[in-house]
Every structure is written in C-alpha cells, then in structure tokens.
Amino acid sequence: MKKWVPTILVLLVLIIGWVYAASQNYFREEEAEKVKLLGIKSADIQSITIHDNSTDTSGTSKPSQLELKNGVWSMVEPKSYPLNGYTVSSWLDALSGADQELVVEEEPKDLTKYGLGSDATLLDIQLKDNREIKLSIGGKLPADDARYVRVDSGPVVAVQTESISNIELSRQDLLDTTPFNLDETNVTTLEWEGEAATWMLKSSSEEGAAEQTWTLNGEAIEATDAVSLIGKIKNLSTADDVRKASELKGTVPRFTLSVEQTVNGEAVTDVYRGLTIPSEPDQIWVITPDGQWAYPMDAASLKEAEQFPDSIKKSESDATSSSSGDDADANSSSTSK
C-alpha cells in the first residue's frame, strides 16, 4: 500500500489543479473582442443625412438632414422641423455603440442578395474632422437575429437586430410630435375655452401639501381624474409632419388651452391655440405658445379633452346609481329576513 501513496498524492494534486484551472476558465476559449461598427464616439458626429427610399407624388425622395449647431441638434432638410432631443441623443449613442458580430463576406460582389442594393437604408454621417461615413443597412440574416450591414465600401457584416432597430429611425421617429409641453407634477391650472365647451381644472392644494386636490369649475373632483386628463393631453401626438404656423391661411379659431405650471418656483403660463381650415373640418392645427409651429391633430383626438366635464359627470352619475342599487339590494335583503 505504501508504494501507491506517492501516486495517489500526485493524482490528488493533479485533480485539485484541474478543478482550480476550470474554475478560472483556463480551458475556455477567449471570447472574441467586440468590434465597434463605426469606431466613433457620438460626440464626433457633426451631421447625419437619412435617405428615404420611399418617393412622394413627384417621384423623388426627400432626404432628412440633421446638423449640430452651437451644441444643439436641429433638422435642416427638408424643413427645420422641431426634434425630440432625448430621441436624437439615444440615436447618436446607438450609432456609436453598435457592435459588428461577424464578417459575412470580405469583398462582396452581389450586394442585392444582402438587401444592400437600392432598397437599403442609407445614412451619410459627417464627422467633426470632416471625415464621412456611409452606412448601409440591408436585410435579415437567415437566423433572423441580425441584419446585413456595410460601412463605406467595406465587407458585409452582421449586426444584431436590436442594435439596428435603435439606428434605423425615420424622420418621423426623430421629430417632436407632441405639441403640449406639460408635466403632471407641475400643472396647477388648465383652462379650456372652445366652441363646444368651456371649463377650468385647478389645483386647490396649499403650497407644500402632501397630496394635490383638484376642482373642476369650482367643484371638487378625484385627483386621479385630474391627473388622467393632464396625461391624456400631454401624450396627444401627431402622425404627420408639423408646419410653420405662418403657412396656415384662412383659419378659424377652434379652442384655446391655457396651461399654468410652477417651474423652478415660478408660475409659467402657456397658451395653445386650436385652428381649423374650413376645407378640412376634421383636422385641428394646434399652435405652440411661441406661435412658431402648427401640429396637425385629428379633431376626434381632442374631443375627449373638450368633453372632459361631461365624462366626469357621467362617471359620478354611474357611481351614484351603482351605490343606490347596492343600498336597495341591501334593504331588500334585510326586509326579506
């Protein structure tokens, strides 16, 4: 038995060493280092042009160009539309942060089989050092978890679908499509003056109160109803391009919405105007407080806000009827006993 002791000890040492090495991943292949698709930082980007594959009635496409001016991103083509700053910032981060997963073909001869022909999404990116990058986004890989992409005249590579979804944005995705600039926590008064209705929603809370209380035309209402209305107005958005307010001609006033908010301890009042064009009665143009932009809105989408007091009365009436019915059932049950 003694002659086997050295052998057993050697085996034990080997086993312990193997277990330790395995725990330290010594037997696993090194994970391939991710390669950045563009090799740039978001701060390097000076302008981006999105080439739209769709065509308008004239048969021509309208590229959208964004530029960084004085530290602020703005759209300069096809018009100086207002942008959603948060969306633009996230878009730039997505462009600079995208990784290429693998090289599909080093020197592609037929780009159409990758969806990188005339149907590809094309972005022209100009950097602050005057370098230009052409980014082409094509079709899906067979596994449907990545897209074919080409940078300049380089190889065709694969990029995760999730990354591409954050990059392949349209002009509409980047625009500020919500005309009403509200913050539920700041609003103290909403006053609607329109053809069909006039009402005032007002916070009646004392300064520093733990909970906000609200009145509608002087009568107390549930805070949840008030916050719901503010949220619905705030989230109203347009599916179409905005226009310069000065371009609208022959308009008819439809409503005004005055919004009072407390911002940094100061009361700020913004007034939004709703206008219609007689030939388009189902569309209301909402004019921003600065008088610069006109947002096309479906008249039906604003109807709920206009008829807010009626909806409150109906809900209260339904609640009263339900309560009365419950009391009647309870009395009936008590009598039968």
Side-chain angles (χ1 to χ4, degrees), residues 54-173:
S54 62
T55 56
D56 59 20
T57 54
S58 65
T60 59
S61 62
K62 290 185 176 180
S64 302
Q65 184 177 358
L66 287 75
E67 283 187 1
L68 180 64
K69 293 182 178 180
N70 300 320
V72 178
W73 280 92
S74 59
M75 184 169 288
V76 294
E77 293 292 343
K79 292 184 179 181
S80 57
Y81 295 122
L83 296 174
N84 184 314
Y86 175 79
T87 302
V88 171
S89 178
S90 298
W91 185 46
L92 298 175
D93 289 340
L95 281 165
S96 62
D99 297 319
Q100 72 174 46
E101 298 300 310
L102 57 90
V103 175
V104 178
E105 187 174 355
E106 285 283 0
E107 298 181 0
K109 305 299 181 185
D110 181 11
L111 292 174
T112 57
K113 70 179 181 181
Y114 299 116
L116 291 168
S118 58
D119 294 335
T121 297
L122 178 62
L123 300 181
D124 289 337
I125 303 169
Q126 183 171 350
L127 306 181
K128 292 178 179 177
D129 60 7
N130 292 324
R131 283 185 297 150
E132 293 185 1
I133 298 173
K134 291 187 178 296
L135 176 63
S136 301
I137 301 172
K140 298 177 181 178
L141 272 69
D144 199 24
D145 60 351
R147 298 275 295 277
Y148 295 112
V149 175
R150 195 183 194 201
V151 178
D152 295 326
S153 57
V156 174
V157 301
V159 177
Q160 285 188 353
T161 301
E162 183 179 356
S163 295
I164 293 301
S165 65
N166 293 326
I167 292 174
E168 196 178 25
L169 302 185
S170 66
R171 179 175 77 239
Q172 191 66 29
D173 294 326

Side-chain angles (χ1 to χ4, degrees), residues 13-325:
V13 170
L14 289 174
I15 290 171
I16 292 171
W18 184 89
V19 170
Y20 176 78
S23 70
Q24 300 300 310
N25 296 327
Y26 289 164
F27 300 136
R28 297 181 185 178
E29 292 185 8
E30 287 287 334
E31 210 175 288
E33 184 178 348
K34 293 287 186 181
V35 177
K36 291 299 179 185
L37 178 65
L38 301 180
I40 61 173
K41 298 178 181 179
S42 58
D44 297 332
I45 302 174
Q46 179 62 40
S47 71
I48 304 175
T49 301
I50 305 171
H51 294 275
D52 191 351
N53 292 320
S54 62
T55 56
D56 59 20
T57 54
S58 65
T60 59
S61 62
K62 290 185 176 180
S64 302
Q65 184 177 358
L66 287 75
E67 283 187 1
L68 180 64
K69 293 182 178 180
N70 300 320
V72 178
W73 280 92
S74 59
M75 184 169 288
V76 294
E77 293 292 343
K79 292 184 179 181
S80 57
Y81 295 122
L83 296 174
N84 184 314
Y86 175 79
T87 302
V88 171
S89 178
S90 298
W91 185 46
L92 298 175
D93 289 340
L95 281 165
S96 62
D99 297 319
Q100 72 174 46
E101 298 300 310
L102 57 90
V103 175
V104 178
E105 187 174 355
E106 285 283 0
E107 298 181 0
K109 305 299 181 185
D110 181 11
L111 292 174
T112 57
K113 70 179 181 181
Y114 299 116
L116 291 168
S118 58
D119 294 335
T121 297
L122 178 62
L123 300 181
D124 289 337
I125 303 169
Q126 183 171 350
L127 306 181
K128 292 178 179 177
D129 60 7
N130 292 324
R131 283 185 297 150
E132 293 185 1
I133 298 173
K134 291 187 178 296
L135 176 63
S136 301
I137 301 172
K140 298 177 181 178
L141 272 69
D144 199 24
D145 60 351
R147 298 275 295 277
Y148 295 112
V149 175
R150 195 183 194 201
V151 178
D152 295 326
S153 57
V156 174
V157 301
V159 177
Q160 285 188 353
T161 301
E162 183 179 356
S163 295
I164 293 301
S165 65
N166 293 326
I167 292 174
E168 196 178 25
L169 302 185
S170 66
R171 179 175 77 239
Q172 191 66 29
D173 294 326
L174 297 165
L175 296 182
D176 182 1
T177 58
T178 55
F180 299 104
N181 183 21
L182 311 180
D183 186 331
E184 294 95 327
T185 60
N186 293 340
V187 172
T188 56
T189 303
L190 291 181
E191 185 174 5
W192 180 285
E193 295 183 18
E195 293 178 343
T198 298
W199 50 260
M200 178 183 286
L201 176 71
K202 189 176 182 64
S203 171
S204 56
S205 302
E206 296 286 339
E207 186 174 351
E211 295 182 5
Q212 264 188 309
T213 56
W214 296 88
T215 60
L216 177 63
N217 295 335
E219 297 183 5
I221 64 167
E222 294 290 335
T224 52
D225 290 327
V227 173
S228 175
L229 172 67
I230 297 170
K232 286 176 181 176
I233 292 177
K234 172 187 176 180
N235 294 322
L236 286 170
S237 63
T238 179
D240 300 314
D241 288 343
V242 301
R243 293 174 60 180
K244 288 280 190 180
S246 58
E247 295 176 2
L248 299 179
K249 305 298 181 185
T251 57
V252 177
R254 177 65 176 78
F255 72 84
T256 60
L257 176 66
S258 299
V259 181
E260 184 174 316
Q261 302 184 82
T262 301
V263 181
N264 297 326
E266 295 185 5
V268 178
T269 300
D270 293 320
V271 179
Y272 299 85
R273 294 180 296 135
L275 307 176
T276 57
I277 297 174
S279 60
E280 302 173 350
D282 294 331
Q283 188 172 65
I284 295 178
W285 293 89
V286 177
I287 312 301
T288 52
D290 59 9
Q292 185 175 7
W293 299 107
Y295 286 73
M297 311 289 289
D298 183 5
S301 66
L302 290 163
K303 187 175 182 180
E304 185 175 356
E306 187 165 46
Q307 297 180 342
F308 176 61
D310 293 336
S311 65
I312 292 295
K313 291 176 182 177
K314 184 178 184 304
S315 63
E316 290 178 348
S317 176
D318 291 345
T320 302
S321 298
S322 176
S323 177
S324 298

